[in-house]
Amino acid sequence: MQPDPNQTREGAPAPSRSILFTRAGGFGPGAYLLFSALTLAAVVLCICVGSVNIPLRDTLRVVSAALRGDETPGSMARSIILSVRIPRVLCVSLVGASLALCGAAMQGLLKNPLADGSTMGVSSGAALGAVIAIAFDISIPGLPVSGRTGMAILFAFGSLLLILLLAYKLDSSLSTNTIILIGIVFSMFVSAISSFIITMVGEKVRNITFWTMGTLQNSSYMNALIMAVPLLVCGGILLHKAEELNAFSVGEDNARNIGVDVRRVKLEVLICISVLIGACVSLSGSIGFVGLVTPHILRRILGPNHRRLLPACAFGGAVFLLLADLACRTLLSPRELPIGIITSFVGAIVFVFIFYSQRRRTQ
Amino acid sequence: MMLEVRDLSVSYGTRRILDGVSFTVEAGQWLMLIGPNGAGKTTIVNAVSQGVSYTGQVLFEGKDVRRMRSRELARCLGVLTQNHYVGYSFTVEEVIRLGRYSHRPGYFEGGKDASEARVRDAVAKTGMGPFLRQSVLTLSGGELQRAFLAQLFVQDPRLLMLDEPTNHLDLIYQKQVFALVRKWMEDTGGAVVSVVHDLSLARMYGTHAVLLERGRPVVVGTIEEAFRPEVLNSVYGMDVGEWMRGLLNQWD
């Protein structure tokens, strides 16, 4: 999709210093406080509401007792909050933040608002690794993470290397068009293998099918930790690359001309993205549209500058997925929908709306 | 010697695009790369700016540019292309400020970056002040080219490489861009290498020229040497002088 040529930026924040914005065009402390407050509100809402609704006062009492180290065996509310809701909410927020961050970084790097983990083929590669692990009960001895997580990250890495190798063979400058083209072909090929495996292992089909549609049902504190580490490391690196991503968004040739080491930056960003997507897919299955829609909406509000867009996407992705998870837990309660159905349903509608409104304005 | 290109050759697959091109550029010189379509002019710019692989050597003040880090190369050599396909609606100011990328001090380096003064100066020179808050996607071709010229001035390189910078632009913008580049050259004592299709512009602004034909240099020397009628006529396959005079006579 082409950017809207008539879009003006009168509403965009000026690069002058204020409580919300820094002179360099990033967010000031005020903006981070605002985002944190919004995310915290979504987190509290998701802890309180579910198939069993727990009043805010009780929730706060349970959480503060747990923070004080009060080990008193408690009520059903205590066990729901501490054993089910908080680990789940943590996992959902971390996965949402990671997916949106990856989407924003990829769309900046490839100068394409339709770029996503799936466009690169990394998600499909990670999903294939996880499908193999589930289908054949593969576990990696000696590793703290499950076989599914290990295989997903391994396959995400492998996919990335293969895609880059194939792209390099075609075009040594690793142009974005070549990468996207190879990514789409690779994604289709790998999805076919995944479907073949799912067809072959009949008795596990339901488990795998549910997982491939995205779910965070069995979240644990360990899962949240497994997700937090790559987000801190790789997410930190991506945030640090905001200026380079701005340069790529203006144009890859322009990025090289102003002094960006385009090959190195591309490789660093793509590796970070593959690690984050591998970790996300292993924990939650394939959750579509978070990485596509969140950056798209936030870019329209805040402008394309990655100094603002990347941190906003981290918070925005977390909130979007928290609300989607809340919907999938409560819409057909006590039954639970796969989270991917909700994100794809909402995401596709929002995306079509944005696409058509842009087209209308262009015409 | 600011820029020295030795025996530069570029091939795409089995097809040789450039074949053994050598030339030098000194401070204060404006070297025009001229020749018919497919002569390899843009390929020289791409090779010198490390956009395509090549054989031969490109030296900037005696140092092989292949051994330079990207930021160091950008501080020596700035490139302005003819077309800009900006992906998103960045403001003009955001695009201009990106030019300081190669000058930003690293985490372990001291010193202050003179960004603000450079940005103000470049904006004033190019007249982009009224457009700073505007999206680059809303600019006309000439305004967009001036925005990227401002980015190039902010980058503050020692040598400018311009790849048909006024192609598709109206006469007024052509004049503006070339006048701005000449002013930059006079102010900074830098040098310019530019690919130009319009021979009258090349003649008016150039001090030196490389005349190319099918990837091979036909003339490397002063602008007068390259503009000898018998050489131009042979390379372009027509009486260039007669054609130009005919164009001008239409205005009498």
Side-chain angles (χ1 to χ4, degrees):
Chain A
M1 184 165 55
Q2 289 302 307
D4 175 8
N6 294 325
Q7 188 179 344
T8 56
R9 290 282 311 284
E10 280 80 13
S16 53
R17 197 199 305 256
S18 71
I19 185 133
L20 290 179
F21 303 104
T22 62
R23 199 185 291 279
F27 285 127
Y32 282 108
L33 272 175
L34 184 69
F35 290 143
S36 304
L38 286 173
T39 311
L40 194 63
V43 163
V44 171
L45 180 72
C46 291
I47 292 174
C48 293
V49 179
S51 53
V52 176
N53 291 331
I54 302 165
L56 178 63
R57 194 185 305 162
D58 293 353
T59 305
L60 292 176
R61 197 180 306 138
V62 167
V63 172
S64 62
L67 287 174
R68 283 199 310 273
D70 185 356
E71 297 289 335
T72 321
S75 56
M76 188 177 76
R78 179 188 157 90
S79 102
I80 289 175
I81 290 171
L82 295 183
S83 307
V84 180
R85 297 253 172 101
I86 291 185
R88 179 164 182 152
V89 158
L90 283 175
C91 284
V92 170
S93 324
L94 292 167
V95 167
S98 301
L99 289 176
L101 202 54
C102 285
M106 212 174 288
Q107 287 160 25
L109 187 77
L110 303 181
K111 209 173 83 172
N112 187 336
L114 293 175
D116 191 19
S118 48
T119 319
M120 274 288 294
V122 182
S123 294
S124 306
L128 175 63
V131 163
I132 290 173
I134 295 172
F136 302 106
D137 292 323
I138 294 172
S139 59
I140 304 170
L143 280 178
V145 293
S146 70
R148 195 171 73 183
T149 308
M151 286 287 280
I153 293 179
L154 204 69
F155 270 65
F157 257 127
S159 308
L160 176 82
L161 291 178
L162 192 60
I163 291 159
L164 289 178
L165 188 73
L166 290 171
Y168 186 80
K169 284 274 178 199
L170 276 178
D171 172 7
S172 63
S173 69
L174 289 179
S175 79
T176 53
N177 286 344
T178 312
I179 291 179
I180 286 183
L181 189 68
I182 299 281
I184 290 170
V185 173
F186 181 82
S187 190
M188 291 168 76
F189 179 69
V190 161
S191 298
I193 299 176
S194 292
S195 302
F196 177 73
I197 293 171
I198 291 169
T199 312
M200 295 304 286
V201 286
E203 75 279 9
K204 289 174 183 161
V205 162
R206 198 188 165 275
N207 186 23
I208 296 179
T209 307
F210 198 73
W211 176 83
T212 52
M213 288 157 86
T215 178
L216 281 144
Q217 239 173 0
N218 301 315
S219 300
S220 65
Y221 287 106
M222 178 51 87
N223 284 353
L225 185 68
I226 290 168
M227 199 58 241
V229 173
L231 180 59
L232 276 176
V233 177
C234 298
I237 294 172
L238 289 180
L239 289 173
H240 178 62
K241 297 286 171 204
E243 191 73 344
E244 284 83 355
L245 288 170
N246 281 342
F248 271 96
S249 302
V250 167
E252 191 175 324
D253 286 340
N254 189 250
R256 182 175 45 249
N257 293 339
I258 63 168
V260 176
D261 188 341
V262 290
R263 258 196 226 184
R264 189 173 58 79
V265 171
K266 242 186 226 182
L267 200 64
E268 286 170 357
V269 171
L270 292 179
I271 286 174
C272 287
I273 287 170
S274 72
V275 171
L276 282 174
I277 289 178
C280 286
V281 169
S282 74
L283 283 191
S284 59
S286 303
I287 301 177
F289 277 100
V290 182
L292 206 61
V293 170
T294 313
H296 210 87
I297 293 172
L298 289 171
R299 196 179 289 113
R300 288 174 72 85
I301 299 168
L302 297 164
N305 191 332
H306 288 82
R307 285 180 188 276
R308 293 187 294 270
L309 186 64
L310 292 176
C313 278
F315 286 103
V319 172
F320 177 53
L321 205 58
L322 278 168
L323 297 179
D325 187 53
L326 182 65
C328 83
R329 283 191 286 127
T330 52
L331 280 180
L332 296 179
S333 179
R335 285 185 64 191
E336 187 174 321
L337 287 167
I339 195 168
I341 290 180
I342 303 287
T343 57
S344 298
F345 188 74
V346 175
I349 292 171
V350 171
F351 195 77
V352 167
F353 174 76
I354 294 167
F355 189 82
Y356 275 89
S357 65
Q358 276 197 348
R359 274 294 172 92
R360 259 203 312 273
R361 212 181 301 170
T362 313
Q363 285 161 2
Chain B
M1 200 73 64
M2 194 176 265
L3 181 73
E4 186 174 0
V5 173
R6 286 185 195 157
D7 201 22
L8 186 72
S9 297
V10 175
S11 298
Y12 294 144
T14 53
R15 192 167 155 235
R16 182 151 275 214
I17 307 295
L18 274 183
D19 193 3
V21 177
S22 301
F23 60 87
T24 59
V25 182
E26 292 189 51
Q29 287 185 354
W30 188 330
L31 180 92
M32 296 291 181
L33 299 172
I34 52 175
N37 287 333
K41 307 180 292 290
T42 296
T43 308
I44 292 181
V45 174
N46 289 338
V48 171
S49 61
Q50 307 301 291
V52 295
S53 3
Y54 59 88
T55 58
Q57 267 195 317
V58 178
L59 307 172
F60 192 89
E61 292 183 338
K63 192 172 177 182
D64 193 336
V65 298
R66 275 188 181 131
R67 296 180 192 279
M68 287 184 178
R69 298 175 73 91
S70 304
R71 283 175 192 251
E72 184 187 0
L73 181 62
R75 290 194 293 264
C76 298
L77 203 147
V79 183
L80 182 69
T81 54
Q82 57 173 303
N83 294 317
H84 309 279
Y85 303 105
V86 181
Y88 300 100
S89 62
F90 285 93
T91 62
V92 169
E93 182 171 2
E94 283 168 339
V95 168
I96 292 175
R97 280 182 187 277
L98 272 176
R100 287 309 283 176
Y101 177 82
S102 60
H103 293 270
R104 301 230 166 93
Y107 283 116
F108 305 107
E109 294 165 344
K112 280 187 82 176
D113 180 18
S115 291
E116 288 309 315
R118 289 279 173 206
V119 170
R120 273 198 306 273
D121 186 46
V123 168
K125 265 186 190 152
T126 52
M128 291 307 289
F131 302 95
L132 285 181
R133 298 288 307 281
Q134 199 170 319
S135 162
V136 285
L137 301 181
T138 63
L139 298 180
S140 70
E143 290 159 356
L144 190 64
Q145 193 63 304
R146 266 159 53 210
F148 277 92
L149 192 61
Q151 186 198 68
L152 197 58
F153 290 160
V154 164
Q155 187 178 330
D156 193 25
R158 313 270 307 282
L159 183 141
L160 299 189
M161 298 206 80
L162 316 174
D163 182 11
E164 301 193 42
T166 59
N167 213 14
H168 315 304
L169 293 190
D170 289 340
L171 285 175
I172 179 74
Y173 293 126
Q174 290 187 19
K175 191 184 162 202
Q176 275 179 4
V177 169
F178 273 82
L180 282 167
V181 171
R182 180 182 269 176
K183 179 82 168 60
W184 172 86
M185 211 169 86
E186 288 164 2
D187 290 348
T188 62
V192 181
V193 174
S194 58
V195 174
V196 180
H197 254 303
D198 186 335
L199 291 175
S200 55
L201 278 173
R203 185 74 178 86
M204 187 185 290
Y205 288 94
T207 61
H208 292 73
V210 174
L211 176 62
L212 294 151
E213 186 182 20
R214 292 198 202 100
R216 288 171 172 275
V218 178
V219 175
V220 178
T222 62
I223 200 82
E224 291 78 17
E225 285 170 330
F227 272 75
R228 278 179 296 154
E230 65 274 19
V231 180
L232 278 185
N233 294 351
S234 146
V235 169
Y236 282 90
M238 62 183 284
D239 189 339
V240 177
E242 183 60 32
W243 168 253
M244 301 288 260
R245 275 190 293 276
L247 286 177
L248 283 174
N249 286 340
Q250 293 181 49
W251 296 97
D252 293 337

